[in-house]
Amino acid sequence: MIQLITSPDNIAAFRAIGEVTKQDYENVVVPAVEAVVAKHDELNFLLELDTELGNFSAGAWFEDVMIGLKNFGKWHRAAIVTDSDNIISFTNAFSYIAPGEYKGFKKDELDIALLWVGGK
């Protein structure tokens, strides 16, 4: 499941828990992302992972890719909050191949991540 995280209106912020499905993206993620882009003409995105990546369904991964492609030129900052060093390293490296800035944070740095991702 994906839940919204309370955040400033220039951030689409989420927590992934347990199994994550295509419907989670369609009902929660896509509307929040579209609202941020419509209001701010850029995308600041935060995802806190409280589940394993293997719990994302194929449909969820497809929707994730579609969000990325649909908003390709709108990405400003994206933060992934996890205790996985591999995911943090991958996220940090993503800045070199895609528009915007990407940064991984440990779970105890959630407040720092929210401040960073919402910054100008």
Side-chain angles (χ1 to χ4, degrees), residues 8-14 28-46 66-77 120:
D9 73 351
N10 70 324
I11 303 171
F14 311 95
V28 180
V29 178
V30 171
V33 165
E34 288 177 350
V36 168
V37 171
K39 185 169 185 176
H40 298 281
D41 199 34
E42 68 181 14
L43 180 54
N44 295 309
F45 183 93
L46 181 139
M66 294 309 296
I67 287 170
L69 292 174
K70 181 178 178 184
N71 297 290
F72 191 73
K74 302 291 183 182
W75 287 91
H76 181 245
R77 287 189 169 170
K120 291 287 178 179

Side-chain angles (χ1 to χ4, degrees), residues 51-73:
T51 190
E52 299 296 320
L53 293 181
N55 288 332
F56 281 67
S57 71
W61 283 114
F62 177 78
E63 291 298 319
D64 189 69
V65 168
M66 294 309 296
I67 287 170
L69 292 174
K70 181 178 178 184
N71 297 290
F72 191 73

